Amino acid sequence: MNNEVTIPATGQVTTDKETIVLIEGLYKSFGEDNPVLKGVALTVKKGENLVLLGRSGSGKSIIIKCIAGLVTYDQGSIQVMGTEINGLTNQQLNELRLKMGFLFQNAALYDSMTVRENLAFPLKRHSPEKTEQEVTEAITAELESVGLAEAIDKMPSELSGGMRKRVGLARTLILNPLLMLYDEPTTGLDTITSREISELILQIQQKNKTSSIIITHDMACARLTGDRIVILENGIIHAEGTYDELAQSKDTWVRSFFT
Amino acid sequence: MITSLKNIFNDTGTITRFMARFFSELLHRPFEMKEFLRQCYFIGYKTLPLVGITGFIMGLVLTLQTRPTLAGFGAESWLPGMVALSLVREIAPVITALICAGKISSGIGAELGSMKVTEQIDAMEVSGINPYKYLVVTRVLATTLMVPLLVFFADAIGMAGGYAGINIHSDVNLYRYSSQVLESLDYIDVIPPTIKSFFFGFFIGSIGCYKGFTAANGTESVGKAANASVVSASLAIFIIDMLAVQITDLFM
Ligand SMILES: Nc1ncnc2c1ncn2[C@@H]1O[C@H](COP(=O)(O)OP(=O)(O)OP(=O)(O)O)[C@@H](O)[C@H]1O
Ligand SMILES: [Mg+2]
């Protein structure tokens, strides 16, 4: 494990309010012959956008799924806001998840529900004291902030890919998460829509001082949104730095991402 | 051969755990009432026409097929009673359950399978909503309660079919027909098939949910989940039916 490189002593960390995510020596394999993560270490500070690059199938989605407790990991530790994910009870995990937002690769809208119901579904469950009107107001406000107020009564099947992503974003933002996990937020969108989504990500960061992990293959998005970039390769974090540092790296392999 | 046997046992193990979880989650609040009622509507009401048509045809065909045999013994007057007995004891529950396996189990398998593949189930989980409770408990409970109701409905329509069948060849009035039917039916003829139907419903729902929940990634697995739901549910129905016959035999 190469955790001495970036990680301060653990005792220091749990009291550190500035570290939102702390991953040390993370191992995950599917079956005996398919190790995917082999000692990943990374940190996300408060209010920071961390971009996660890596080839297809390198295990990027798995990392954020481990953070959200959707996938269990074999070894190592993930602390989110000072809480270790492995070993939480379901209820504790759900409490922690309320502070996280997850934007899925294909938005994962509930296709049996309208856009309004999609947003109301998590909101009503977590704030049962809200009246119908308060719920509607919150939904309208959130949809307006992603520029989709007119789509409120549409079904997901009637929306374009970019609109779905934005509704997905609105659905996670309605619970005011402190940590956002974006899985390829701009994949499959044209350059203009991609840019709009990237700008939304920046707005979210600025508005609530939200920390984010952004998985992307879109270098324009990485450049615009990322405060710091890490590259995953062969199950470990291979390189780390700002966009400009990595773009001028001596390592040709790292540089190849930026051309 | 040995690995496939091993797979069957593994599968049976996980499916049993999946079903056991239903009971433990059922006892814990909150209960998703709205979704449960929605499922009852879809599962019960939307299957009525199909069950009705098949029930009617079964009653009709059964009457027409049995008549010559009974006529050979000069026992034509037993016809209503016999048709009623076979319908209530065996034909209506099994046919209804098979229809539900084809329509409901595959529907649930495909629906949950596509929710799994498109990460909707994960999305539910990360927003702190228990997908097992919201999706599985409601559906399994709905099928468990709706299938017996559909069976009663098929019983009734099947007897109407029987009445139509009798009147093709002879003229029996409705009053006499129904009194003959009711006379031939005892509690012991009605209770075991009803209990059996609850089991049919439970397995139809939980197999569909299990296959959907465990669908692999990729769109083709949605079709596979739907298909596997029908196959396993139909097989389960026949196995339950066989066990039910043995058990009722013990008590008679
Ligand atoms: N449920 C699973 N069962 C078995 N293997 C899996 C499973 N999920 C992921 N994997 C394996 O983990 C590896 C990493 O998957 P992951 O989805 O994290 O890739 P990724 O980096 O997000 O790729 P992409 O950019 O294409 O989304 C894949 O090679 C895959 O084989
Ligand atoms: Mg991925």
Side-chain angles (χ1 to χ4, degrees):
Chain A
M1 278 187 249
N2 55 348
N3 52 4
E4 74 275 27
V5 188
T6 44
I7 315 300
T10 323
Q12 203 182 325
V13 167
T14 39
T15 54
D16 181 0
K17 288 248 170 16
E18 291 300 303
T19 306
I20 299 293
V21 181
L22 172 68
I23 301 181
E24 289 175 306
L26 187 68
Y27 282 77
K28 172 74 191 175
S29 58
F30 289 97
E32 268 156 36
D33 46 356
N34 187 10
V36 179
L37 304 179
K38 298 180 243 174
V40 170
L42 58 83
T43 51
V44 183
K45 299 276 179 203
K46 184 156 182 55
E48 181 187 38
N49 278 353
L50 178 76
V51 167
L52 180 54
L53 299 178
R55 299 238 302 268
S56 221
S58 55
K60 305 181 297 297
S61 299
I62 297 296
I63 293 182
I64 60 171
K65 282 184 179 164
C66 286
I67 296 175
L70 288 172
V71 171
T72 53
Y73 42 97
D74 305 336
Q75 246 188 70
S77 120
I78 299 181
Q79 291 181 9
V80 178
M81 296 166 225
T83 314
E84 176 70 41
I85 299 286
N86 252 10
L88 287 185
T89 65
N90 269 334
Q91 198 186 345
Q92 290 168 323
L93 188 57
N94 282 340
E95 270 163 33
L96 194 59
R97 278 169 173 163
L98 277 181
K99 301 180 191 153
M100 299 186 213
F102 200 124
L103 182 67
F104 286 88
Q105 215 157 323
N106 293 306
L109 300 183
Y110 307 125
D111 29 51
S112 59
M113 302 181 192
T114 64
V115 168
R116 180 200 300 273
E117 289 164 338
N118 259 284
L119 269 71
F121 189 54
L123 185 62
K124 277 186 183 163
R125 256 142 235 275
H126 296 303
S127 330
E129 74 287 352
K130 278 202 161 62
T131 62
E132 232 13 78
Q133 194 184 348
E134 285 172 317
V135 169
T136 311
E137 273 165 16
I139 291 172
T140 331
E142 213 53 71
L143 282 176
E144 257 159 25
S145 77
V146 297
L148 271 182
E150 77 283 358
I152 187 161
D153 285 314
K154 291 210 164 114
M155 294 302 284
S157 54
E158 300 170 87
L159 304 178
S160 73
M163 290 160 94
R164 294 170 67 96
K165 286 259 167 73
R166 284 195 263 175
V167 173
L169 208 49
R171 183 179 69 185
T172 48
L173 291 177
I174 205 160
L175 296 176
N176 294 321
L178 296 171
L179 170 66
M180 277 297 300
L181 306 167
Y182 300 94
D183 200 345
E184 307 195 10
T186 60
T187 303
L189 305 177
D190 64 89
T191 26
I192 298 171
T193 317
S194 298
R195 202 184 159 81
E196 282 170 9
I197 299 266
S198 304
E199 274 159 6
L200 268 176
I201 294 176
L202 276 181
Q203 274 174 29
I204 292 161
Q205 179 195 21
Q206 280 150 14
K207 200 164 90 187
N208 304 334
K209 222 163 179 277
T210 314
S211 316
S212 312
I213 297 181
I214 303 155
I215 293 177
T216 188
H217 296 291
D218 171 6
M219 294 318 294
C221 170
R223 172 175 216 160
L224 196 64
T225 58
D227 299 318
R228 198 155 53 88
I229 296 180
V230 294
I231 304 180
L232 183 69
E233 171 71 8
N234 279 330
I236 57 161
I237 299 297
H238 186 91
E240 175 174 354
T242 63
Y243 185 94
D244 295 327
E245 282 166 16
L246 291 181
Q248 283 145 26
S249 161
K250 289 197 179 65
D251 189 337
T252 43
W253 181 83
V254 169
R255 260 199 337 265
S256 68
F257 273 90
F258 295 80
T259 48
Chain B
M1 178 68 194
I2 287 179
T3 46
S4 79
L5 262 182
K6 210 170 130 191
N7 280 340
I8 289 178
F9 284 122
N10 269 341
D11 238 23
T12 320
T14 42
I15 207 167
T16 314
R17 243 175 291 135
F18 188 82
M19 288 176 182
R21 194 171 160 197
F22 168 79
F23 294 102
S24 73
E25 298 264 2
L26 187 62
L27 298 176
H28 288 100
R29 289 171 53 81
F31 181 68
E32 306 280 352
M33 199 58 185
K34 214 172 132 206
E35 175 69 5
F36 168 68
L37 293 177
R38 205 174 73 93
Q39 289 306 323
C40 285
Y41 172 77
F42 276 122
I43 289 165
Y45 186 68
K46 294 265 172 170
T47 324
L48 271 186
L50 193 61
V51 168
I53 293 168
T54 12
F56 188 85
I57 295 175
M58 279 304 128
L60 183 77
V61 169
L62 205 60
T63 312
L64 296 180
Q65 298 270 33
T66 324
R67 214 186 64 88
T69 323
L70 285 183
F73 296 108
E76 249 183 297
S77 59
W78 288 5
L79 193 51
M82 244 189 101
V83 169
L85 267 186
S86 6
L87 269 179
V88 168
R89 274 201 194 162
E90 186 63 27
I91 310 277
V94 172
I95 297 282
T96 308
L98 287 177
I99 289 175
C100 292
K103 186 169 188 299
I104 298 169
S105 207
S106 68
I108 292 177
E111 187 192 7
L112 298 197
S114 75
M115 289 187 79
K116 172 83 196 290
V117 169
T118 57
E119 297 178 312
Q120 290 174 52
I121 293 182
D122 285 343
M124 230 173 245
E125 203 153 327
V126 289
S127 56
I129 296 158
N130 181 344
Y132 193 95
K133 218 177 188 95
Y134 185 78
L135 299 170
V136 179
V137 171
T138 52
R139 279 166 178 75
V140 174
L141 199 61
T143 53
T144 311
L145 299 178
M146 288 298 118
V147 169
L149 287 182
L150 287 170
V151 168
F152 281 135
F153 179 69
D155 285 342
I157 299 279
M159 285 173 205
Y163 181 65
I166 283 179
N167 275 302
I168 291 176
H169 290 282
S170 52
D171 192 17
V172 180
N173 74 26
L174 185 59
Y175 177 75
R176 204 166 127 227
Y177 177 75
S178 9
S179 64
Q180 271 178 329
V181 163
L182 291 180
E183 232 164 66
S184 66
L185 288 177
D186 213 342
Y187 278 121
I188 195 72
D189 299 315
V190 181
I191 292 171
T194 308
I195 297 175
K196 182 164 84 176
S197 309
F198 279 106
F199 280 93
F200 287 161
F202 176 74
F203 275 82
I204 286 169
S206 43
I207 289 176
C209 288
Y210 173 77
K211 294 290 178 188
F213 247 60
T214 50
N217 283 339
T219 30
E220 92 276 25
S221 57
V222 177
K224 275 191 198 149
N227 196 291
S229 310
V230 183
V231 173
S232 313
S234 313
L235 198 62
I237 287 165
F238 286 115
I239 294 173
I240 296 167
D241 197 41
M242 189 181 73
L243 293 177
V245 170
Q246 310 285 340
I247 293 170
T248 7
D249 255 9
L250 286 181
F251 290 99
M252 301 260 279

